[in-house]
Amino acid sequence: MAQPLVKKDDDRDDEADYSPFLGIEKGAVLQEARVFNDPQLDPRRCSQVITKLLYLLNQGETFTKVEATEVFFAVTKLFQSKDIGLRRMVYVMIKELSPSADEVIIVTSSLMKDMTSKTDMYRANAIRVLCRITDGTLLTQIERYLKQAIVDKNPVVASAALVSGIHLLQTNPEIVKRWSNEVQEAVQSRAALVQFHALALLHQIRQNDRLAVNKLVSSLTKGSVRSPLAQCLLIRYTSQVIRESANNNQAGDRPFYDFLEGCLRHKAEMVIFEAARAITELNGVTSRELTPAITVLQLFLSSSKPVLRFAAVRTLNKVAMTHPMAVTNCNIDMESLISDQNRSIATLAITTLLKTGNESSVDRLMKQITNFMSDIADEFKIVVVEAIRSLCLKFPLKHRSLMNFLSNILREEGGFEYKKAIVDSIVILIRDIPEAKESGLLHLCEFIEDCEFTYLSAQILHFLGIEGPKTSDPSKYIRYIYNRVHLENATVRAGAVSTLAKFGAMVDTLKPRVFVLLRRCLFDNDDEVRDRATLYLNTLGGDGAVVETGEDVKEFLFGSLDIPLVNLENSLKNYEPSEEAFDINSVPKEVKTQPLAEKKAPGKKPTGLGAPPAGPPSTVDAYEKLLSSIPEFANFGKLFKSSAPVELTEAETEYAVNVVKHIFDGHVVFQYNCTNTIPEQLLENVTVIVDASEAEEFAEVASKPLRSLPYDSPGQTFVAFEKPEGVPAIGKFSNMLRFIVKEVDPSTGEAEDDGVEDEYQLEELEVVAADYMLKVGVSNFRNAWETMDADCERVDEYGLGPRESLAEAVNAVINLLGMQPCEGTEVVPNNSRSHTCLLSGVYIGNVKVLVRLQFGLDGPKDVAMKLAVRSEDEAVSDAIHEIVASG
Amino acid sequence: MELCPLIKNILLLDSEGKRIAVKYYSDDWPTNSAKEAFEKAVFAKTQKTNARTDGVNHVDLLTKVNADAEITMFDNYVVVYKFVQDLHFFVTGGENENEIILAAVLQGFFDAVGLLLRGTVDKKEALENLDLILLCLDEIVDGGIILETDANVIAGKVASHSMDAGASLSEQTITQALATAREHLTRSLLK
């Protein structure tokens, strides 16, 4: 038997901080490494030096290229020693140094010798080292040995070869794929880990061949897998097969479900858990299928091992999102986990309970959570707060106790993120549960009395200004707001002044009091606060008498800014001080989106072909400037909308062309962005011949050719059409690129004098209804919707037919209408059966349009939709329905 | 899609969160400072837990080894861990990794170190036998893929120091593992 390596005495009362590496220095250790070159090697000493080198690397020390090379060459000398321990350290060291290709050659022969050694340990490790540092060329030389090693009777050697194969598959797939037969043999190995590694490699070799994977799974699920790890792999492969075959056979029993269920009775916990998790993640899992999996997870909940409890509660937490009823059986076990010492487990248990709990258990749960909140970290608290918020939305009747809970924890210690989560939750509850409004607002008022976060105070003041005046007794909030003017920093004071003004504007009886308070603010020592006070005193008018506030004043104070802030910022930057005042109507309202071509460009053209094919002007501003500079288009009036670029050519063609559609009131201009990708050609007199025979309402009025289009510098040509004014005419246009092509001598870059006329067919282009719709968001959809005249509302229902998913249907309608999704409603949560989407936009003729879409799944795939439109003009509301009906 | 269970890193830290030996198998932490930041965060996050076993002398060794691993989740990683004396053992996996597989790796590492240090599992002993710890890490995981989780086999492979190149590895492993285990048992019973 081997002797203990370094065995120290057990008594070590003093020098508790002693470390063998105390005061270690890179330079000194590199000096020490010279012992590797001694003719008479001392294995023990060499081992120690390598350990020191590895220690340095492990501590984050780096070697320079020269140092690394020196160490590497010195280490290679150590292959002379026959000491196994030293050889092991040499292997580790070589892997850590990751030598360059020319250095690898030095050790190749030594390692190849070890690979064919009689000592198993040498063979196994040499394979791992060589495969780690080698490149493809060497691989062909050692392939024969690797194949042998895969079926080696020693499991350590076989595993080493198989694991190396998994790594090599990433870089040299064609070589590793040739080992299929050997790997397949290894899958049958009696050694547990060999089977695991062989299965992993075999699957990766075949992963792109669905049929082969299917066969592999079918044969192995009949039961020849012994290793728990391999069994876990097999479960993962099986669920993948189930996922992929799910589309083909809807009806009947799920294939392989029996196998998964059988694995729930396996003796290894990791397999049981893997199978239970796989079952819960099956697409459209039924409650009958879920039951056995939930049962084993429930047993795990009361395990003595934290890892099992955690794994089970985490999985059940996910199940609770989609199948809350299936998890209710575990509620009792779950409740006992609230006091679990491991806080991660306790938090997961609470959030699961909040999802599965029923109305009657809410109060009891809240009591338990209150005790628990004081001793967990902020990030866990945030999770709990979010769970409570959704619980409250689910059971609005319970708002009192839940709101109380939120306000209690709001008063306790906590960081910004945590406090923000609580405030956000209260705001959402106030908005969605009318009965909770008054108590919620008072809780927020109390909070700002002692709030250390300026951001939150300002947010709450703003919110108070909107909601406070609508309550039964607005006067009670004034005190809280005015206190801020006394006690806070300038930002909060300014916010408080605005809020006061809003109360004054909305509640006429309060106006005199607000006036007095605002006048006091005129002497504030911050100019923003003074400015605001002055502004509001003037806009409110009436000298503090009880009079009604004008509509335009209300609009000014409460109206939402329907201009994207970025655009406003840009316009203000471009504004040059002059006699003419800045006109807010001149700010473009289009939400700037990244042009399609620019996003695609890097992937499409990996070769260094220079600039992407998109035309240089991309923003609305730039488009407008560009078009107004062209005399032919100058009298078209104000640009209504510019579309995103639409590609008219396939990727990698000779000429890349995309088009931007510019919509004016009575005209449409197509801007063709052309790029010449052939270095030997110069194009001249480039035009696009447009056939508008399928676009009856359009008549071509002007075209502007591109004089010359050299290699790789994009240029534009334009074609303009007239159309009936204010009418959203639609049509199809076919395009032909016509030009004179001249040969270019690549060496001199000079073009020949004579050119040949040529044509190039482009793809068709369509002007669709969405082109007449501007994406303009609103900040508060509900307010905007309610202020719009209900008489102009048009509601109808549509069947959208079978769709891939709800999300796909939602996207299709959004794209069809070309409107701006509001409040994040374009995102459809996974597995939901219905969805409401809010859209807003401006239709040609500057008509505001709001759309409320309600989607529902009707049967397995069919999507039904209810469309409600409100706009300032009922004809436009009808037009929107027409778009959907004909789309 | 990656279906094979993968280990992101294995860490052995001291009672102040400093490195004794660490091994990263993932590019999630490209620089040393990123690694150190992760270690700091893991350490801070697990400090207040009860993964520490109370035993301080050899009598408790058996219970110590049998104490259960603790677990936490943060930054989309699952971390299982175990503390003994002034040593802190961690194994990290991806968000969707099977927790029990990670725990098996941790247990293998923890027990193998216990066997290799012959019961005296603390920082001083670990540093003095750092070569064994590093070899141990090398035998547990290769490039993220689990090589072995059985502590006796791991320790056996690491401890097979001998000039005798003739004996086969499998033989050595078993006899050695048995001998080590036997010695380890008698020691803990005698004390």
Side-chain angles (χ1 to χ4, degrees), chain A residues 1-10 12 15-16 18-21 47 51 54-55 57-61 82-86 88-89 92 95-96 118-122 125 128 132 154 156 159-160 163-164 166-167 170 193 196-197 200 203-204 207 229 232-233 236-237 240 243 269-271 273-274 277 300 304-311 314-315 318 341-342 344-345 375 377 379-380, chain B residues 1-6 16 18-23 32 36 45 48-50 58 68-74 78 80-81 85-86 94-101 103-104 117-118 120 122-125 127-132 134-135 137-139 141-150 153 157-170 172 175-176 179-180 183 187 191:
Chain A
M1 200 204 101
Q3 286 304 303
L5 235 202
V6 191
K7 195 68 198 95
K8 292 277 164 184
D9 245 341
D10 279 334
R12 50 194 165 83
E15 47 175 7
Y18 166 80
S19 155
F21 303 104
S47 263
T51 309
L54 287 170
Y55 174 81
L57 286 171
N58 219 297
Q59 294 296 318
E61 187 79 65
K82 293 252 183 305
D83 185 276
I84 293 186
L86 178 57
R88 297 289 321 267
M89 295 308 282
V92 175
K95 280 196 275 191
E96 284 297 326
K118 276 209 197 76
T119 312
D120 295 333
M121 200 276 299
Y122 280 172
N125 277 289
R128 283 173 57 198
R132 172 75 60 88
N154 183 297
V156 181
S159 278
V163 171
S164 300
I166 295 174
H167 295 312
Q170 314 299 325
L193 280 134
F196 165 59
H197 295 132
H203 179 264
Q204 285 197 13
Q207 61 183 347
L229 276 171
C232 286
L233 270 186
R236 291 183 190 186
Y237 300 156
Q240 191 191 25
R243 233 187 342 267
E269 281 157 347
M270 69 169 76
V271 177
F273 174 67
E274 189 73 45
R277 194 171 67 161
F300 279 9
S304 65
K305 297 180 186 166
V307 172
L308 288 191
R309 296 199 299 273
F310 178 90
R314 187 155 80 111
T315 309
K318 277 191 204 145
Q341 299 226 311
N342 183 317
S344 307
I345 296 176
D375 52 25
E379 48 179 310
F380 289 148
Chain B
M1 184 167 37
E2 192 55 77
L3 291 172
C4 191
L6 285 180
E16 286 156 25
K18 296 218 175 62
R19 276 181 197 169
I20 291 171
V22 298
K23 190 83 190 142
N32 189 50
E36 276 173 350
K45 204 164 154 63
K48 275 201 272 178
T49 54
N50 59 335
H58 303 292
D68 292 314
E70 277 292 339
I71 182 163
T72 190
M73 209 179 148
F74 80 105
V78 177
V80 290
Y81 55 100
Q85 303 266 25
D86 48 4
E95 182 181 19
N96 294 318
E97 201 44 82
N98 181 330
E99 293 89 341
I100 302 165
I101 294 180
L117 299 184
R118 295 175 185 252
T120 320
D122 60 20
K123 176 181 172 184
K124 178 166 174 276
E125 203 67 23
L127 283 172
E128 276 170 1
N129 296 288
L130 189 68
D131 50 346
L132 300 184
L134 292 170
L135 288 176
L137 285 171
D138 187 57
E139 288 295 352
V141 171
D142 182 295
I145 296 171
I146 301 164
L147 272 182
E148 180 59 77
T149 57
D150 183 331
V153 179
K157 284 202 266 182
V158 171
S160 58
H161 281 257
S162 162
M163 292 294 286
D164 179 13
S168 88
L169 182 59
S170 48
Q172 271 186 33
T175 42
Q176 216 151 43
T180 326
E183 190 204 19
R187 281 168 61 94
K191 284 242 168 166

Side-chain angles (χ1 to χ4, degrees), chain A residues 95-315:
Chain A
K95 280 196 275 191
E96 284 297 326
L97 287 171
S98 50
S100 62
D102 48 336
E103 290 167 352
V104 169
I105 298 169
I106 312 290
V107 282
T108 306
S109 60
S110 304
L111 286 171
M112 278 171 69
K113 200 172 136 221
D114 284 0
M115 253 178 87
T116 49
S117 148
K118 276 209 197 76
T119 312
D120 295 333
M121 200 276 299
Y122 280 172
R123 284 212 304 285
N125 277 289
I127 288 172
R128 283 173 57 198
V129 176
L130 200 53
C131 290
R132 172 75 60 88
I133 61 175
T134 189
D135 56 5
T137 48
L138 186 64
L139 202 53
T140 42
Q141 287 180 49
I142 58 170
E143 191 185 351
R144 186 162 59 92
Y145 302 115
L146 288 174
K147 276 175 154 178
Q148 265 169 27
I150 288 174
V151 288
D152 197 292
K153 66 178 191 309
N154 183 297
V156 181
V157 177
S159 278
L162 288 163
V163 171
S164 300
I166 295 174
H167 295 312
L168 288 171
L169 192 66
Q170 314 299 325
T171 49
N172 296 285
E174 65 294 336
I175 295 180
V176 180
K177 278 179 184 163
R178 294 202 291 255
W179 308 346
S180 251
N181 288 337
E182 286 79 9
V183 178
Q184 200 147 15
E185 197 180 323
V187 173
Q188 306 303 327
S189 164
R190 298 168 59 87
L193 280 134
V194 174
Q195 194 173 46
F196 165 59
H197 295 132
L199 183 56
L201 180 55
L202 191 62
H203 179 264
Q204 285 197 13
I205 289 176
R206 294 184 178 172
Q207 61 183 347
N208 295 321
D209 181 353
R210 250 174 72 179
L211 212 65
V213 173
N214 248 321
K215 255 170 73 184
L216 178 68
V217 168
S218 314
S219 71
L220 288 179
T221 47
K222 300 211 176 75
S224 58
V225 176
R226 271 170 296 266
S227 137
L229 276 171
Q231 191 80 354
C232 286
L233 270 186
L234 186 56
I235 290 170
R236 291 183 190 186
Y237 300 156
T238 307
S239 12
Q240 191 191 25
V241 169
I242 295 177
R243 233 187 342 267
E244 281 167 358
S245 64
N247 302 329
N248 306 336
N249 44 348
Q250 279 289 330
D253 277 350
R254 212 187 277 273
F256 300 120
Y257 174 79
D258 290 343
F259 165 71
L260 292 182
E261 207 214 325
C263 288
L264 295 174
R265 292 183 290 273
H266 198 276
K267 60 183 186 302
E269 281 157 347
M270 69 169 76
V271 177
I272 300 174
F273 174 67
E274 189 73 45
R277 194 171 67 161
I279 290 177
T280 63
E281 285 169 1
L282 289 175
N283 273 337
V285 63
T286 65
S287 38
R288 194 174 57 86
E289 288 170 324
L290 263 180
T291 311
I294 302 284
T295 310
V296 299
L297 290 174
Q298 188 175 4
L299 286 176
F300 279 9
L301 286 180
S302 43
S303 159
S304 65
K305 297 180 186 166
V307 172
L308 288 191
R309 296 199 299 273
F310 178 90
V313 74
R314 187 155 80 111
T315 309

